[in-house]
Amino acid sequence: MLSRQPILNHMQRGPRAFSSSCRREKQRLVILGSGWGGYEVLRRVDKKRWDVVLVSPNNYFNFTPLLASCAVGTLEFRCAIEPVRRYSPAAGIYQAWCDSIDFRNKMLQCLPATKPSHVASPSDTAYDHSISTTSPGSGLSFPLKYDKLVIAVGAYSQTFNTPGVKEYAHFLKDVRDARAIRSRILECFEQANQPTLSDTERRHLLNFVIVGAGPTGVEFAAELHDLLHAEIWEHYPSLAKMARINLYDVAPSILGMFDKNLVQYAEKNFRREGISIWTSHHVNKVEAGKLLIKEQGEVPFGLLVWSTGLSPNPLIASITELKKHQKTQSLIVDDHLNALRTDDTPDPDVYVIGDAASLANTQLPATAQVANQQAKYLYKRLNKIIKDRPHEKPFEFHNQGTLAYVGNWKAIYDRPDEGGLPGLSKEKGRVAWLLWRSAYFTQTLSVRNKILVPFYWFLNWIFGRDLTRF
């Protein structure tokens, strides 16, 4: 029989003398937000070297350029989202809000963003998402320590404190917004089809109003026009004649960031297609089924989509330790995307990207393109930092140009004076539309959506959009 004593003696001697030093604990990288900035950092950062934790109220990424198409049934909702749990368990993921940040102790206080336990029915349409952070049963707040922090929480829709907007208007920043808008469009036609309504009441229901004539508002108006002149005209011919699209903006023209000639082309195209444009108009108040406009008085509507710019995220508004942009109230960052303290010194452990950030010396547009480029710069920087390699190159934004769909298979592309897509200048019409579609196709992040997006484009071209309301 073999003796066990040599084995026991070996175990009692402990570690060998030539063993390497103790393994260093991973530094924790916390990412706040799963938008264009946060999701890209999550995808690309070295999760083998960083202890990555994502905190976001959504467990998916919104591909925002496709939301207008989803809202009218041109694409299905799954085409506009990417699940963040694709990167679990390599990264820890919490569906939660960050409520406050203690920069001195590097500690976050988070609140669950899931439904409270007493909300049992998934069909409870009266559920308010704000309940999940305030009501008992939604879960206790929890602390979260960080070594490096990436703030990519984005911004909210700007309402300018107009009474009634939050209660009666739809926004278009999330796939849930697109779902609600699609449902409301079809509901308006089904309500207008009831025999008990007068023609006046039908026209009120079928008046679709968009406030905000930036790219989001213009593209939604264009997509809605395509829907009305295709499937709606086929299935509700008498009602389709009553439908109207009205586009309002306080500015003197639509698409203020585009070249003047391209704006004139878009406006001419809209008016030719029957879309009414009301610039230099001010909304004073929104009530149920109507809005009060300073220049026109009372305007009834069946659907109101509000897209008038951005306001600070409540988390950003609550931060007092960091320097803020005087106009936008976003956090000011240096050339390496580090947040600046109130004394103008950078915080080496805090980065801010996307709509929550403003560069100290440069004003960048609030677009997904900016957030995505900042995220690509940041993950490369973080991957070098964790390997103790220098990364002193500052962030530089390379403007690839701006696209907007204007309906009927037409679009506009505004190329910047420097940069942009090679071989292209300022384009309009079908060429720009092909560019618009190819750009969104190539930007989709997963192989799944690179297949689904053109598949649904082709499917709806052959069979039409789905007008089922659910």
Side-chain angles (χ1 to χ4, degrees), residues 117-300:
S117 56
H118 65 268
V119 180
S121 173
S123 61
D124 185 6
T125 56
Y127 171 66
D128 181 355
H129 291 280
S130 64
I131 294 176
S132 64
T133 63
T134 57
S135 291
S138 62
L140 298 174
S141 63
F142 59 92
L144 189 61
K145 188 81 174 175
Y146 71 85
D147 295 298
K148 300 286 185 183
L149 177 65
V150 178
I151 301 176
V153 293
Y156 282 19
S157 296
Q158 178 65 268
T159 66
F160 302 101
N161 295 319
T162 306
V165 172
K166 293 182 179 179
E167 291 81 6
Y168 303 112
H170 288 76
F171 301 101
L172 191 53
K173 287 181 67 66
D174 187 276
V175 70
R176 286 173 293 190
D177 299 330
R179 186 186 296 274
I181 289 171
R182 188 198 292 193
S183 179
R184 179 56 188 164
I185 292 170
L186 299 178
E187 185 179 51
C188 286
F189 279 95
E190 291 297 344
Q191 288 178 339
N193 194 50
Q194 299 298 331
T196 55
L197 270 64
S198 66
D199 282 351
T200 300
E201 291 172 318
R202 291 189 176 99
R203 288 189 177 90
H204 290 174
L205 269 174
L206 301 179
N207 188 35
F208 300 100
V209 175
I210 300 108
V211 176
T216 301
V218 165
E219 288 197 348
F220 175 71
E223 292 276 9
L224 180 58
H225 162 271
D226 290 354
L227 172 67
L228 295 182
H229 287 75
E231 287 75 20
I232 294 296
W233 189 271
E234 179 182 351
H235 296 287
Y236 305 91
S238 60
L239 296 178
K241 299 175 184 178
M242 300 182 181
R244 296 291 181 270
I245 302 174
N246 289 277
L247 182 62
Y248 289 88
D249 201 286
V250 70
S253 68
I254 67 173
L255 298 170
M257 72 293 295
F258 279 78
D259 177 78
K260 184 179 179 180
N261 291 330
L262 295 178
V263 171
Q264 291 175 350
Y265 171 82
E267 289 180 340
K268 182 179 179 181
N269 186 72
F270 268 18
R271 291 192 171 101
R272 184 170 59 246
E273 298 294 341
I275 299 174
S276 300
I277 300 173
W278 306 94
T279 53
S280 300
H281 279 59
H282 303 76
V283 179
N284 291 333
K285 187 178 181 181
V286 180
E287 297 179 357
K290 62 182 178 181
L291 67 164
L292 303 178
I293 297 177
K294 180 181 178 181
E295 293 76 11
Q296 286 183 323
E298 187 176 298
V299 176

Side-chain angles (χ1 to χ4, degrees), residues 378-439:
L378 184 55
Y379 81 71
K380 293 175 183 177
R381 179 173 173 81
L382 290 168
N383 287 345
K384 288 192 175 183
I385 287 174
I386 200 64
K387 297 176 184 177
D388 295 324
R389 295 179 183 174
H391 189 276
E392 301 302 325
K393 183 181 178 181
F395 169 74
E396 293 181 3
F397 174 60
H398 301 282
N399 194 342
Q400 299 298 308
T402 311
L403 289 156
Y405 180 58
V406 295
N408 197 26
W409 292 21
K410 298 175 185 177
I412 56 177
Y413 168 67
D414 193 2
R415 180 185 178 183
D417 295 333
E418 296 182 4
L421 298 175
L424 293 170
S425 57
K426 300 179 187 299
E427 301 289 346
K428 57 189 177 182
R430 293 293 168 86
V431 172
W433 175 79
L434 290 172
L435 178 62
W436 175 77
R437 284 223 160 169
S438 61

Side-chain angles (χ1 to χ4, degrees), residues 73-76 231 437 451-466:
T74 305
L75 292 173
E76 288 306 308
E231 287 75 20
R437 284 223 160 169
I451 296 172
L452 285 178
V453 169
F455 172 75
Y456 278 111
W457 278 337
F458 178 75
L459 198 67
N460 288 326
W461 179 57
I462 298 296
F463 298 107
R465 299 171 180 86
D466 180 15

